[in-house]
Amino acid sequence: RRMDLMVDDRDGVVLGALRIPPLGAASPERDSADGVTHPWLRTCRSLVRTLAPARPPAAPGSGPTRLRVEVDGETLVDLHQSVEAVSVVPGTSGTAHVEVRPASVGAEASPLSAEARTITVSGAHFRYRADAAVSGPVRTRTWEVREAAWGLTLPAR
């Protein structure tokens, strides 16, 4: 089975999900962006945890932050709007599903979403969680989707 992955501008690899700011641990069997269960995702995350160097757990995000999120060169959210979280997961056919949750004042704000091949996030220093590894702080980072860049062979049940 061939699958997409994301590569950042510093040659970091994301197999599963990218979160900004790092959120609490999600269920390893659920892709929280679309609520679909992917059994192979547990295997991928286990592989990443095995290969990634151990790091101390990151403190949860301290609240809304101002970030600029660009998808394929178009601005999805600019610095004037605070965001609670950004989520990016590889989608289908060489794109990633990007979801931005704006900070809400009073009523809950609707999340913004897009499909993109290139995602750039910039702003004040921010940390991000790529699969099991927390990185940062950085001021800007760009991720590019690589279509069918890796494969996973699973034994028959």
Side-chain angles (χ1 to χ4, degrees):
R1 179 178 188 173
R2 302 298 299 174
M3 292 177 280
D4 296 352
L5 60 78
M6 294 182 292
V7 177
D8 68 29
D9 50 3
R10 304 288 264 175
D11 292 329
V13 174
V14 182
L15 301 175
L18 170 70
R19 305 270 189 258
I20 306 166
L23 303 176
S27 168
E29 296 179 24
R30 297 194 57 84
D31 180 341
S32 61
D34 62 6
V36 177
T37 301
H38 297 290
W40 56 266
L41 191 55
R42 182 178 0 153
T43 303
C44 297
R45 288 182 178 159
S46 175
L47 174 65
V48 169
R49 279 191 298 270
T50 302
L51 297 176
R55 293 187 179 193
S62 60
T65 187
R66 296 188 185 275
L67 297 172
R68 177 182 177 103
V69 180
E70 297 176 52
V71 292
D72 291 336
E74 299 290 325
T75 302
L76 186 61
V77 170
D78 211 341
L79 294 169
H80 67 275
Q81 184 175 13
S82 295
V83 294
E84 291 286 339
V86 178
S87 170
V88 183
V89 292
T92 58
S93 303
T95 62
H97 178 75
V98 181
E99 182 174 282
V100 178
R101 295 195 178 275
S104 61
V105 178
E108 184 165 326
S110 298
L112 305 168
S113 61
E115 300 290 322
R117 293 184 183 279
T118 304
I119 302 95
T120 300
V121 178
S122 57
H125 286 76
F126 64 92
R127 293 185 182 276
Y128 60 92
R129 179 182 300 271
D131 296 321
V134 176
S135 298
V138 297
R139 291 189 64 86
T140 186
R141 184 71 29 160
T142 298
W143 290 271
E144 179 184 334
V145 178
R146 303 273 172 91
E147 187 174 2
W150 71 291
L152 185 62
T153 304
L154 300 173
R157 292 183 186 215

